[in-house]
Amino acid sequence: MNTKDLILEKTLKLILEKGTIDISISEIRNYSGLTTGGIYYHFSDKNDIFEEILQKYMVDYIKIDFDKILLEGSSKDRIHDALFYILYHYINGVEIESINEKINYNSVILLLTSVGYAHERVNQIISQTGNDVKMFLTDLVEEGKRQNEIRQDFSTENIVESLYILYMGIQYYWLVFPDYDVDLMFEKNFDMTWQAIECQ
């Protein structure tokens, strides 16, 4: 791992341990084992470090590569697998190499969200990603209607809204109750939603 990434990961670990982003360069220096000059070689100040942490551990992972979603089978399978992929993209987050112990990514999100949402750039990316997810689901629902696998009497917009709320609700539940069985919750809620929208 290069020194710049090491600084970011050690700083993130320090933030997680302290439960606050309010840390100093000297704390980062002591925690990382690097010199002050070594830190300033890569970053202009601690705000620069925090900006990079937001970028790497919040902004970069929010973006979804929809081309990586494998879509096969019926409309039910395709929508299920798409939502499952997007949910786990969020839950798994960005791999943190230098932190050997297993951490739940919701700890990272909870600490960075308060700072992240204050940044216009982060808000724009979150909003754009939400719109992209809705557009992706819209295409899947429209295809399901063409295949006569999804009810015609519900508008596509309402179905997509329900699917999106399902996904966002499970995300939120995971943040609040990180030890809950996310797979079980997803499957139960997806099955209930599907029963409401499938062609009878």
Side-chain angles (χ1 to χ4, degrees):
M1 174 183 302
N2 64 47
T3 304
K4 185 174 183 179
D5 285 342
L6 180 66
I7 293 167
L8 292 176
E9 292 198 358
K10 290 293 187 180
T11 303
L12 178 62
K13 184 173 182 182
L14 182 60
I15 287 170
L16 290 171
E17 286 183 4
K18 289 191 69 176
T20 177
I21 62 162
D22 186 22
I23 57 176
S24 65
I25 288 289
S26 63
E27 286 178 295
I28 296 169
R29 180 195 65 220
N30 295 337
Y31 196 82
S32 67
L34 297 169
T35 64
T36 303
I39 294 170
Y40 281 118
Y41 177 80
H42 295 283
F43 301 98
S44 59
D45 54 29
K46 73 175 187 177
N47 290 333
D48 193 19
I49 297 173
F50 296 146
E51 287 285 334
E52 288 271 350
I53 286 173
L54 275 178
Q55 181 68 42
K56 183 172 183 179
Y57 298 108
M58 190 167 188
V59 173
D60 287 354
Y61 102 95
I62 289 170
K63 299 174 187 174
I64 298 169
D65 185 351
F66 293 97
D67 291 334
K68 290 186 177 178
I69 303 176
L70 184 62
L71 297 174
E72 296 177 340
S74 66
S75 292
K76 179 181 180 181
D77 294 335
R78 291 159 62 87
I79 293 171
H80 172 280
D81 294 350
L83 284 172
F84 195 78
Y85 177 94
I86 294 166
L87 177 65
Y88 269 89
H89 169 83
Y90 182 86
I91 289 175
N92 291 335
V94 177
E95 183 178 354
I96 304 171
E97 298 172 7
S98 70
I99 300 177
N100 295 324
E101 68 270 18
K102 174 91 173 137
I103 68 159
N104 193 316
Y105 206 73
N106 77 334
S107 305
V108 177
I109 296 308
L110 288 170
L111 276 167
L112 295 184
T113 295
S114 59
V115 180
Y117 277 84
H119 288 257
E120 184 178 340
R121 174 175 47 92
V122 175
N123 268 321
Q124 288 172 345
I125 289 166
I126 290 170
S127 178
Q128 182 59 54
T129 300
N131 288 332
D132 291 345
V133 168
K134 288 178 186 176
M135 290 302 298
F136 190 74
L137 291 173
T138 296
D139 291 343
L140 293 177
V141 170
E142 288 290 341
E143 179 63 23
K145 285 186 169 190
R146 286 192 292 275
Q147 302 287 336
N148 290 317
E149 295 175 331
I150 294 178
R151 293 172 59 162
Q152 303 289 335
D153 57 330
F154 288 168
S155 73
T156 297
E157 183 180 356
N158 286 343
I159 293 172
V160 168
E161 186 176 89
S162 295
L163 293 169
Y164 189 76
I165 289 170
L166 160 71
Y167 150 69
M168 290 299 292
I170 293 173
Q171 269 189 23
Y172 176 77
Y173 206 88
W174 166 75
L175 281 172
V176 177
F177 304 104
D179 296 327
Y180 196 83
D181 187 338
V182 173
D183 288 2
L184 178 63
M185 174 175 280
F186 174 80
E187 296 300 341
K188 283 175 21 182
N189 283 276
F190 180 80
D191 284 346
M192 285 189 293
T193 303
W194 183 258
Q195 287 171 23
I197 66 173
E198 70 177 328
C199 280
Q200 304 296 324

